[in-house]
Amino acid sequence: MSAMRGEFSSRIGFVLAAAGSAVGLGNIWGFPTQAASNGGAAFLLVYLVLAFSLAYPALMAELIIGRHAHANAVTALKGIAPGPGSRRLGAATGGAGFIVASLILSFYAIVAGWMIAHLLAAMAELAGARATANWLVEFTLPRNVLFMGLFMALTVGIIRGGVSAGIERWSRRLMPTLLVTLVLLVGYVLTLEGAMTGLKIYLLPDFKALLSPQLIISALGAAFFSLSLGVGTMLVYGSYISDRENLPVLGGVVTLVDISIAVMAGFLVLPAMYVALHNGVDIFTAGGALISEDTLIFTVLPALFETMGFTGSLVALVFFFLMTVAALTSSISMLEVPVAYTIESSAISRRRAAAGIGALISLISLAILLNFEFLFGFVVSLTTRYAQPLLGFMYCLFCGWLWHRDSILQELRRGSPDAGNTLFWKLWPGYVRYVCPAIILLIFLHSLLG
Ligand code: PHE
């Protein structure tokens, strides 16, 4: 069956694909801006603790279930459920992941479309086509629809190729490109006047902020979003891993790469903000907080690039290229969730499923664009603040309570015969059984009530 389904051809192929899914706009856009508005290094600290203690165990739950079943999330969760009730729960959880992954892609494609538009605007600027550049950066419906559609087409194009010829091949090309681009940009920005002030803000923690529950909720949401958890992406990628691989190690590498890139993006974005301040660009809101999120990326940074003349257009080009690449390696993993389910539960071919589902999700994106004020923020918080942690909770429930412990160990032993004696096996089962579900629920309830 696995030969028919496709499989990552190598360990590094999987690591690059899964890290590609994890590293996305969440890391380069979300993480640094949230750190900026939540106490700098204090946020970084909480994020690191949550990523290792909660997100990594939850990632492992998805990878182990996926690899065990070598199937999509619905089939996989049904397969490990012990009775009819839990089978239904498994199907519902997998199905909810299918919907949430599609909804995440629907807003992600809009934002990624803006990145492509800004990338082309930088090119137009370099070529002296001012009017075109202006049109590309203006927030208009035609521009938004055009670039959302273009980004969706790229995503569909890769997913049509399948696991090794599509996902793996493109992740192998794009991830090293992303890393080199990021390092070059960080190196360059750190040499500019004003960068050191930003660096200090990033690295000196404001411990008062540590006590804020809001910070912990944001950090947990960020960690879950960043590791692509809860929606079945990691489960599906896990289902394409060969039985020979050592899962806890692979999951650990993916977590490390993801966190490192988020932290590194902080070295780019925060110093860049203070370079902008030094160049006369306003970086604070009326309330005195640092400008964050979309205003930062689409107003502050472009204003900064503007103050840098020709070099600025070059840097803008590299920056928005980086964002586009990061978005693409993530969006393919989102689309793979509904595509894997569709081709494994019907007679529809991968190429057709990818195109059809891509078209449907584009329609949702279009609906969001037509009601932007109301729908955009709503879909973002519905999926990332609420659905992702809740579904992560469900995966922990399946791994910690419903699936037999011996079967889990057996699964781990396939790729590492000594799995029973490792530190991972001493800690992880208790973690997914008690610690993760309890903390996720606590934080979730707090965010619901608060
Ligand atoms: N991890 C991606 C990012 O950081 C987003 C993502 C969420 C990808 C859910 C897949 C599934 O941008």
Side-chain angles (χ1 to χ4, degrees):
M1 173 169 180
S2 62
M4 255 170 61
R5 291 185 75 238
E7 189 171 280
F8 289 112
S9 72
S10 65
R11 183 174 307 158
I12 184 77
F14 163 76
V15 168
L16 289 176
S21 165
V23 173
L25 300 178
N27 300 62
I28 303 176
W29 178 33
F31 175 79
T33 60
Q34 289 197 20
S37 41
N38 283 303
F43 184 83
L44 180 63
L45 220 67
V46 176
Y47 181 82
L48 287 181
V49 171
L50 289 179
F52 278 110
S53 61
L54 281 175
Y56 170 69
L59 168 68
M60 286 313 303
E62 286 200 34
L63 289 182
I64 297 175
I65 297 175
R67 212 253 318 250
H68 172 76
H70 285 301
N72 66 81
V74 176
T75 313
L77 289 170
K78 268 165 66 180
I80 61 169
S86 51
R87 277 175 70 81
R88 271 198 294 278
L89 189 66
T93 306
F98 174 126
I99 295 171
V100 177
S102 307
L103 284 178
I104 292 181
L105 180 53
S106 73
F107 77 76
Y108 209 79
I110 295 175
V111 180
W114 296 336
M115 302 295 171
I116 302 184
H118 276 261
L119 165 66
L120 294 180
M123 287 181 179
E125 198 76 58
L126 285 171
R130 253 272 136 105
T132 313
N134 285 343
W135 182 80
L136 284 165
V137 299
E138 241 170 71
F139 192 94
T140 59
L141 190 63
R143 179 206 70 159
N144 290 346
V145 173
L146 181 68
F147 289 100
M148 174 276 289
L150 180 63
F151 181 79
M152 217 41 130
L154 288 174
T155 306
V156 167
I158 295 178
I159 286 303
R160 281 165 69 108
V163 181
S164 56
I167 298 173
E168 182 173 347
R169 177 196 292 168
W170 280 95
S171 303
R172 271 172 181 274
R173 290 178 184 166
L174 296 175
M175 284 306 285
T177 315
L178 179 140
L179 205 66
V180 173
T181 317
L182 183 60
V183 170
L184 286 178
L185 271 176
V186 170
Y188 177 69
V189 167
L190 286 182
T191 63
L192 301 175
E193 202 95 34
M196 288 308 136
T197 320
L199 205 58
K200 272 197 209 126
I201 303 272
Y202 185 40
L203 294 179
L204 294 180
D206 167 8
F207 282 112
K208 278 201 306 295
L210 270 185
L211 298 176
S212 127
Q214 196 50 45
L215 178 140
I216 301 184
I217 293 166
S218 307
L220 183 73
F224 264 74
F225 185 72
S226 177
L227 271 175
S228 313
L229 295 178
V231 295
T233 36
M234 287 302 183
L235 193 154
V236 169
Y237 274 17
S239 78
Y240 301 133
I241 302 179
S242 126
D243 286 337
R244 291 183 306 274
E245 301 295 348
N246 183 337
L247 288 179
V249 172
L250 284 189
V253 175
V254 171
T255 309
L256 265 180
V257 173
D258 180 58
I259 293 176
S260 315
I261 293 197
V263 171
M264 199 140 78
F267 282 98
L268 168 67
V269 173
L270 286 172
M273 288 183 83
Y274 283 83
V275 174
L277 181 68
H278 179 266
N279 291 8
V281 178
D282 205 2
I283 64 167
F284 296 102
T285 61
L290 275 173
I291 288 176
S292 66
E293 310 211 332
D294 51 341
T295 328
L296 168 66
I297 299 281
F298 299 113
T299 313
V300 176
L301 294 185
L304 164 68
F305 301 142
E306 187 103 18
T307 63
M308 294 160 65
F310 182 79
T311 326
S313 299
L314 265 183
V315 178
L317 192 144
V318 178
F319 178 77
F320 287 110
F321 172 73
L322 169 76
M323 298 299 267
T324 307
V325 168
L328 195 57
T329 53
S330 297
S331 64
I332 54 179
S333 73
M334 297 169 199
L335 184 59
E336 182 62 16
V337 173
V339 167
Y341 175 71
T342 307
I343 59 184
E344 285 168 18
S345 62
S346 71
I348 302 175
S349 71
R350 170 175 279 277
R351 300 175 77 81
R352 285 216 166 155
I357 295 171
L360 277 178
I361 297 176
S362 304
L363 285 180
I364 303 177
S365 305
L366 186 63
I368 296 177
L369 282 171
L370 289 171
N371 301 282
F372 192 81
E373 289 296 317
F374 171 63
L375 278 182
F376 185 77
F378 174 74
V379 176
V380 172
S381 57
L382 180 74
T383 52
T384 62
R385 270 183 83 120
Y386 302 111
Q388 273 193 290
L390 265 192
L391 287 170
F393 173 84
M394 294 303 294
Y395 288 110
C396 291
L397 206 69
F398 270 88
C399 253
W401 294 87
L402 297 173
W403 194 10
H404 208 281
R405 235 179 108 115
D406 292 342
S407 318
I408 303 182
L409 185 58
Q410 224 172 14
E411 181 54 46
L412 287 170
R413 281 208 177 114
R414 285 177 201 265
S416 111
D418 204 26
N421 300 321
T422 55
L423 183 64
F424 178 80
W425 188 248
K426 292 198 174 76
L427 294 177
W428 181 79
Y431 241 91
V432 274
R433 194 171 161 92
Y434 302 109
V435 184
C436 292
I439 299 186
I440 295 175
L441 214 59
L442 213 74
I443 297 182
F444 183 78
L445 285 181
H446 191 281
S447 84
L448 214 60
L449 303 174

